[in-house]
Amino acid sequence: MLIYVDAKAAREGNGSKEMPFKHINEAAQIAVPGDEVLVAPGVYREYVNPKNGGEEDNRIVYRSTEPLGAVITGAEPVKSWEPYQDKVWVCRINNGGFGSYNPYTTLVMGDWYFAPPIRHTGAVYLNDRHLYEAQTLEECLEGGIYEPSWEPEYSVYKWYTEQDESTNETVIYANFQGANPNEENVEINVRRNCFMPSETGRSYITFSGFNVNKAATTWAPPAAYQDGMVGPHWSKGWIIEDCEISNSMCAGISLGKYYDPENDHYFTNKHVKSPTQMERDAVCRGQYHGWLKEKVGSHIVRRCHIHHCEQAGIVGRMGCVFSIIEDNHIHHINNMQQLGGAEIAGIKFHAAIDVIFRRNHIHHSTMGIWCDWQAQGTRITQNLLHDNMKPEGAGSALGAMMSQDVFVEVGHGPTLIDNNIMLSKASVRIATEGVACVHNLILGAFTAVGGGTDNVVEGVNQPRYTPYHIRHRTEVAGFMSILHGDDRFYNNIFVQNWPVEEVEAKEDMGFMMADNQEVGTAVFDEYPTYDEWIAQFEMDKPADMFKLTKYHFSHLPVWVEGNAYFNGAKACKNEKNPQVDSEHKVSVELVEKDGKYTVRTNLYEFLSEKDGIITSDILGCAFEPEERFENPDGSAITFDSDYLGEHRGVATIPGPFASAEAAQREVWG
């Protein structure tokens, strides 16, 4: 059945074409498997709470009839501003209008939130731009630059809130820098979500072509209920496609965790268990609450434009398993730098089991893709990542994280990073094991190699052991600390694009870290080859369990072969067949014109051809889960297609392009 919705309808209707509903949520209360909800262009200021899910072969579809014409927003316009002082105006909102959730009394805070809990989930927007929250009325009046901002020129636009208990009103002051708010488009967010079922298990829904913006979402850490402006809420088989998602206070799309009252912001509320232990608890409790391949995950997020969210473009813990995240443009995430903590990235997933991230363009974000815990069967392929780093001159915000294109943390693999273009100062942060990097163009360094995993408490090392899983399933197979290594590096191009500078170590998530700035694989010099590692176990002799203990907790081997190094990038001492070019100066530049991007470089003038194509069998198995670097269905991968999908033939060159000619084509646009 077709169900029609039109915000501009003359009167309330019944969902027919002749008498459409005025609100999407009316359709969401009656839609059943097989129905398609057709939403006409217009602004829908409502929370849509789907009552029913579809079926695998009989979905419920919500579709904007005009691409991005139907706007679902968590905000309301305000035209009751009065002059207060200088460039500052004031408005008063009766608290009854907020219902049970007032964003202007709700603070952004919770587990893994490292910034001071002084920001609200509420926000003021001037012409679709998020104003900076001030902590005092004096700061709002002053309208000074917020030094940590990645866009300092805009940080002078401020707002401040307080409660008038005598009148039960929220009072909002805003410095519009000379603009008249009653003549401009000024909105405040009032709703927590835009399109997200309040109940779990609403599966097989397609959400297509909507513009979703300005919701007062809450901080979404991995052991808490993770909300977003849009999300399936612990369901299976959603498709979110062709949408524009912007200006969420925290997360844009959530593929994340359900609400568990016994383990929700556990550390914040109870303090008594270590943060890592509460995360292990969440994994095991999730199995009890239905975390199975048959019930949760297998979502698709594709062709979405996601931008200007202050925690994450897409967030997920466990509910994201077996999903495909493809062809999305994600940018300007956490640029205000008013929120800080361990859940901030263009995409931040815990337990990205058999998740594929492909053909995404992610830039100008605190981090690009962050796979935390249980990155098993994860593949990051054919993505363009750049400018995921603090701009020159920007200050450091309290609770801010280090930046990089890709961060893989405390997992056991297999995690495959192939055919990507990574152009930021730090390319991959490897506080983990079981990673394979194949055919990438890498302009930044590997960081956190051999570190960033264990906690040292009163001088005693406390290993941060994490789970691994039955192959291509969610069921836990075991737990283990991170030994480091078990990594593979084949046919990559490394270019030292920035000078190496002396940097002091600083605290990051409780670890003292100094980012390595030397590009290349030399950071793995101390790691054994496979032959050196396996010889320790004397496999042809009876084993002494206690004699072998030290080898069971030593670094795992690393395989390095066929990479190319330019501008002083350094090869691992154990590498086979490296190409190290110390003679020629190589330049790599990403050029944008009319939204289309190309890579301008001279490195293909000096690149040598290599023999052979990399396959899953060459990469082998990640050590702890004993799972091959392979497709989610268990089939082998042959790396004979490049970043653009071009065929490599029987011989290949390092890097993401099959040929110098392919490297001249558009990489995004």
Side-chain angles (χ1 to χ4, degrees), residues 495-499 566-568 581-588 601-606:
V495 180
Q496 184 76 53
N497 200 52
W498 287 274
F566 296 94
N567 293 1
D581 188 323
S582 56
E583 178 182 355
H584 302 101
K585 177 66 176 178
V586 160
S587 62
V588 180
T601 181
N602 64 338
L603 68 81
Y604 288 90
E605 298 175 23
F606 317 116

Side-chain angles (χ1 to χ4, degrees), residues 237-473:
W238 275 43
I239 298 174
I240 302 171
E241 62 183 10
D242 300 310
C243 293
E244 181 169 2
I245 308 288
S246 66
N247 282 300
S248 175
M249 186 63 209
C250 290
I253 296 173
S254 171
L255 305 181
K257 190 176 171 293
Y258 61 99
Y259 174 69
D260 180 355
E262 294 185 42
N263 194 16
D264 186 68
H265 292 287
Y266 186 100
F267 184 80
T268 299
N269 294 325
K270 299 183 180 179
H271 314 311
V272 293
K273 285 187 179 180
S274 75
T276 302
Q277 185 59 34
M278 73 184 186
E279 300 298 344
R280 288 188 283 260
D281 288 355
V283 172
C284 296
R285 293 181 64 81
Q287 309 245 248
Y288 173 74
H289 289 122
W291 188 38
L292 294 170
K293 189 173 187 176
E294 291 74 21
K295 294 184 177 181
V296 176
S298 297
H299 307 299
I300 299 173
V301 179
R302 62 192 177 200
R303 301 187 301 273
C304 290
H305 181 200
I306 305 170
H307 58 98
H308 292 95
C309 300
E310 288 309 307
Q311 178 188 335
I314 312 175
V315 74
R317 183 10 169 358
M318 297 194 293
C320 60
V321 290
F322 314 114
S323 294
I324 298 173
I325 313 299
E326 63 182 2
D327 300 308
N328 301 288
H329 185 193
I330 303 174
H331 60 97
H332 292 90
I333 303 299
N334 192 230
N335 281 193
M336 296 176 73
Q337 292 285 294
Q338 290 206 297
L339 307 186
E343 311 306 321
I344 289 173
I347 303 172
K348 173 63 194 287
F349 279 3
H350 280 73
I353 298 172
D354 282 2
V355 172
I356 299 173
F357 305 92
R358 67 186 173 205
R359 300 189 303 270
N360 301 288
H361 181 195
I362 306 177
H363 59 97
H364 291 93
S365 299
T366 297
M367 298 186 196
I369 300 172
W370 184 355
C371 293
D372 200 348
W373 287 53
Q374 303 150 276
Q376 182 171 328
T378 307
R379 187 176 185 187
I380 301 171
T381 182
Q382 299 172 299
N383 300 283
L384 171 62
L385 302 115
H386 62 93
D387 291 290
N388 297 307
M389 55 195 183
K390 184 171 67 173
E392 292 293 331
S396 295
L398 291 173
M401 302 290 297
M402 291 180 176
S403 295
Q404 53 272 313
D405 284 331
V406 175
F407 183 9
V408 187
E409 185 181 7
V410 291
H412 304 280
T415 304
L416 176 58
I417 304 172
D418 71 282
N419 288 298
N420 299 284
I421 301 171
M422 295 184 281
L423 307 181
S424 301
K425 285 186 177 180
S427 289
V428 187
R429 189 174 184 182
I430 309 182
T432 191
E433 63 190 21
V435 172
C437 291
V438 182
H439 279 295
N440 300 287
L441 172 59
I442 298 174
L443 266 58
F446 292 136
T447 66
V449 173
T453 57
D454 294 352
N455 299 115
V456 178
V457 182
E458 299 292 332
V460 178
N461 190 65
Q462 301 291 345
R464 195 152 57 122
Y465 58 91
T466 59
Y468 53 93
H469 300 265
I470 302 297
R471 290 187 287 273
H472 308 298
R473 300 286 304 180

Side-chain angles (χ1 to χ4, degrees), residues 101-121:
Y101 179 73
N102 185 342
Y104 303 92
T105 59
T106 304
L107 293 173
V108 178
M109 61 180 297
D111 293 345
W112 304 104
Y113 187 73
F114 300 150
I118 54 177
R119 313 294 182 194
H120 291 89
T121 60

Side-chain angles (χ1 to χ4, degrees), residues 88-99:
V88 173
W89 297 64
V90 63
C91 72
R92 305 177 74 90
I93 309 294
N94 187 281
N95 287 337
F98 295 116

